[in-house]
Amino acid sequence: MAEETVTTKVLMEEKRVFKPPEDLVKNSNVWQWMKKKGFTDEREMRDWTQKNYVDFWDEMAQTYADWHEPYTQVLDWKPPYAKWFLGGKINVTYNCVDRHAKSWRKNKLAYIGYGEPQGEVWKLTYGDLYREVNKLANGLKSLGVKAGDKVSIYLPMVPQLPIAMLACAKIGAIHSVVFSGFSVGAYAARVEDADSIVSITIDGFYRRGKIVELKKQADEALAKCPKIKHQIVYKRAGNEVPMNTGTWKDVWWHELCANQSSECDPVFVDSEHRLYILYTSGTTGKPKGIEHAQGGYMVGPPQTLHWVFDLKEDDVWWCAADIGWVTGHSYIVYGPLNLGATCVMYEGSPDYPDIGRWWSIIEESGTTVLYTTPTAIRMFMRAGEAWPAKYNLKSLRLLGTVGEPINPEAWIWYRKNIGRDQLQIMDTWWQTETGTFAVSPLPITPLKPGSATLPLPGFGVDVLDDQGDPVPVGSGGNVVQTTPWPAMLRDFYKDPARYMQTYWEFYWKTHPGYYLAGDKGRRDEDGYFFIQGRIDDVLKIAGHRLGNSEVESAAVSHPAVAEAAVIGKPDEVKGEVIIVFACLKEGVKESEELRKELAAHIRKELGPLATPEAIYFVKDVPKTRSGKIMRRVIRSRAMGQDPGDISTLANPEAVEAIPKIV
Ligand code: PRX
């Protein structure tokens, strides 16, 4: 558990409330809706939409989604499974691209993409997007891909990534995007588990001025994935790549699409038809494939984006996440495109060629709304105020954060240096599983730094103790969602038992149908939520989720390692960093070289995100009698805290041997 991170310490001390300016409130999308409905009070509106959540979502589904065939039932809720908009037929790509390309928006920019090398800019209108998506969709069909087939996508932040996702959705294929910062082992495991028949990748892309040879990594991974029949390769960096003709066949994207028609009829699917699988870390070494549905995705992401970030027709929206994570799925692709918005994308590193790059992109693109992570803000904070001060950021009108708790110090810095001491910050709490923001301010909400404020309209969220009773004001408890919502996860791919066990079993006896989010949180006297961190063994490295056991599995896959325990250590910038305690096999000698080799091995298996901050060699790791590694005990001991009662451990002496790391 990441209880006492750097963030919580200062939380208690920041007591200011930041009221939204009158003109923001009165012009906001949510206010317009409230006026129409006769609401004058935010709390009243939030309460009403929660109590009447089925009617509320029904109205939102009519507002944001274009149904090919109307649904006949809003919700079928048989915990732990919800089905939304039954009987409805829909196509996500029709909603996100076709209907705009056939309207006045055909010449409106959908994406302004910046390559890392300066001066490289890709501009795609909705009309361009329509043609590119259709060609690739036809290309996929020519390779035999049909509705329901799985396609793994391993691409960096170039416009071809959303194009590939939309091409899949257009023909009802299910995409599984894997973050391009993940490495060989991670891609192989996700391709294999998803039963993908096609992989889409790139020759290489730019990161900190160097070419990352992604196809090379993809090839190494696919060698372990016999179900893959074809790989589509987008040519970007021009680095030499071999084209495989063996168990799978490589084809260049441009050759595949060269003779394809730029028209492709959408395959209209049932509302519950799966849109995508996205793997996320849990408490075991094996990542879980979260499934999301087409219908719900054309309601939740656009509605929440429209209300929380208040997108207007002329906004330039920059969600600076990577599409390899859920944030990008919902808020760089499906939410904003449904709304016909203009999105900024950036391929590279925020510090290339210098730490002013993001601010230069904002100035150049005229970004009006910026959404990023606390880790990024803390990194900019460290680099100093002088960097953003060099650029004209006046186009910005609203800010946001996501992924981890934000410490008030970073919040205040963000507001002052990026937001001219004027802009409101939407601290949105949500997860891969929720698909959309669930607890978040609206532009009409008074803000408290460090708080994601209140459950959004249509969401039931509570904080309960382990017995299922509400916790008193100010006390910590488990964050739960009490009612289903349209963009919620539908299942774990091929693992319904684990789905039940992870989210629903905990409160099944007292509150069947309550969703256990896996976060600890508290509420203050105004009902404002403060998220305190995970209750399970999931690391949050720079806001990205990584399972302790995933890193442990990568460590023990090194031939010298017999066992490994991984903990997160609080870090001022990244929130947490990875510490590995490794037991070596009999006869293997400890050495600095081996330490480096092991770090490189973990990085190669999982990717740069998983690079350990430090590796300690130990004789043994503390375990229960049933063999479960006691990470909590290890963490306490390593952090110089009292590890508590260790008498029930199988090897209490191992605790002593854990070095103090602070
Ligand atoms: O612990 C919470 C944290 O991120 C987790 C979800 O991670 P992931 O599925 O990777 O999605 C991240 C982007 C949506 C949550 O369980 N988290 C997310 N947003 C916040 C947060 N913690 C505190 N404040 C937030 N705003």
Side-chain angles (χ1 to χ4, degrees), residues 201-512:
T201 192
I202 196 162
D203 52 355
F205 67 98
Y206 292 93
R207 191 86 197 163
R208 293 218 168 85
K210 293 205 187 84
I211 294 178
V212 178
E213 298 192 46
L214 202 65
K215 179 171 190 298
K216 227 186 216 169
Q217 286 174 210
D219 287 353
E220 254 186 80
L222 294 196
K224 300 177 206 156
C225 305
K227 288 172 224 154
I228 290 282
K229 297 287 171 272
H230 298 276
Q231 176 163 254
I232 303 170
V233 188
Y234 185 74
K235 196 181 196 108
R236 149 95 185 103
N239 50 307
E240 187 120 352
V241 294
M243 295 300 274
N244 196 54
T245 52
T247 53
W248 80 88
K249 298 200 171 24
D250 280 333
V251 53
W252 286 109
W253 178 309
H254 58 270
E255 287 177 7
L256 178 72
C257 293
N259 297 317
Q260 302 295 345
S261 159
S262 53
E263 294 294 330
C264 173
D265 287 338
V267 174
F268 292 101
V269 293
D270 287 337
S271 172
E272 281 298 311
H273 184 86
R274 300 303 186 244
L275 172 61
Y276 71 81
I277 300 171
L278 183 59
Y279 285 86
T280 188
S281 300
T283 47
T284 70
K286 190 171 172 273
K288 32 195 206 192
I290 307 275
E291 297 182 0
H292 281 287
Q294 286 225 8
Y297 244 69
M298 283 300 94
V299 182
Q303 185 272 335
T304 49
L305 182 60
H306 199 224
W307 285 34
V308 172
F309 285 105
D310 197 36
L311 282 203
K312 303 285 199 296
E313 199 64 72
D314 56 356
D315 270 315
V316 177
W317 159 246
W318 189 11
C319 164
D322 193 291
I323 297 177
W325 306 93
V326 73
T327 310
H329 280 61
S330 300
Y331 298 111
I332 304 178
V333 185
Y334 296 116
L337 295 186
N338 170 298
L339 297 174
T342 298
C343 307
V344 172
M345 275 178 79
Y346 171 50
E347 174 187 35
S349 175
D351 57 359
Y352 191 85
D354 59 43
I355 195 85
R357 187 66 193 272
W358 277 26
W359 317 128
S360 87
I361 291 176
I362 289 176
E363 181 176 305
E364 198 178 320
S365 61
T367 296
T368 56
V369 188
L370 174 69
Y371 184 39
T372 182
T373 60
T375 290
I377 297 162
R378 290 191 291 261
M379 184 185 67
F380 295 129
M381 226 169 117
R382 186 171 269 196
E385 313 187 335
W387 282 103
K390 280 202 236 174
Y391 296 89
N392 182 350
L393 306 180
K394 290 222 172 71
S395 55
L396 288 171
R397 66 175 196 92
L398 204 54
L399 303 174
T401 73
V402 62
E404 40 178 330
I406 181 162
N407 46 314
E409 200 190 344
W411 197 101
I412 298 290
W413 188 93
Y414 191 28
R415 178 171 163 107
K416 173 166 178 276
N417 294 286
I418 312 304
R420 313 184 290 279
D421 239 340
Q422 290 167 13
L423 302 188
Q424 294 294 89
I425 300 172
M426 306 291 110
D427 175 354
T428 60
W429 175 86
W430 61 297
Q431 312 177 298
T432 307
E433 292 86 340
T434 67
T436 59
F437 320 139
V439 177
S440 167
L442 290 159
I444 57 175
T445 313
L447 304 175
K448 299 184 185 186
S451 172
T453 74
L454 302 162
L456 278 176
F459 285 88
V461 191
D462 208 342
V463 182
L464 303 180
D465 66 17
D466 286 354
Q467 283 66 47
D469 296 317
V471 296
V473 166
S475 307
N478 302 316
V479 177
V480 296
Q481 291 189 220
T482 58
T483 46
W485 62 103
M488 67 192 283
L489 77 167
R490 296 308 199 261
D491 210 340
F492 283 164
Y493 184 59
K494 297 191 299 198
D495 203 351
R498 195 171 162 205
Y499 167 78
M500 173 69 191
Q501 187 228 327
T502 309
Y503 305 109
W504 310 95
E505 218 158 56
F506 196 80
Y507 286 119
W508 199 256
K509 285 214 179 82
T510 49
H511 303 286

Side-chain angles (χ1 to χ4, degrees), residues 616-654:
Y616 296 91
F617 293 125
V618 291
K619 289 270 168 299
D620 206 359
V621 290
K623 271 178 286 189
T624 59
R625 277 169 221 223
S626 59
K628 187 173 175 308
I629 295 174
M630 291 303 288
R631 300 189 189 98
R632 199 159 304 186
V633 170
I634 299 171
R635 192 171 186 276
S636 304
R637 165 81 191 175
M639 299 305 294
Q641 296 152 3
D642 177 11
D645 180 15
I646 54 168
S647 60
T648 56
L649 295 185
N651 53 353
E653 65 291 347

Side-chain angles (χ1 to χ4, degrees), residues 142-195:
S142 76
L143 299 179
V145 179
K146 302 176 301 302
D149 285 342
K150 272 52 121 222
V151 174
S152 287
I153 304 178
Y154 193 33
L155 287 171
M157 286 296 287
V158 293
Q160 282 66 35
L161 175 47
I163 290 171
M165 295 160 77
L166 293 159
C168 290
K170 185 128 204 194
I171 59 172
I174 301 164
H175 61 70
S176 165
V177 177
V178 179
F179 174 48
S180 61
F182 274 140
S183 200
V184 177
Y187 191 52
R190 286 159 176 76
V191 169
E192 206 34 26
D193 189 80
D195 303 310

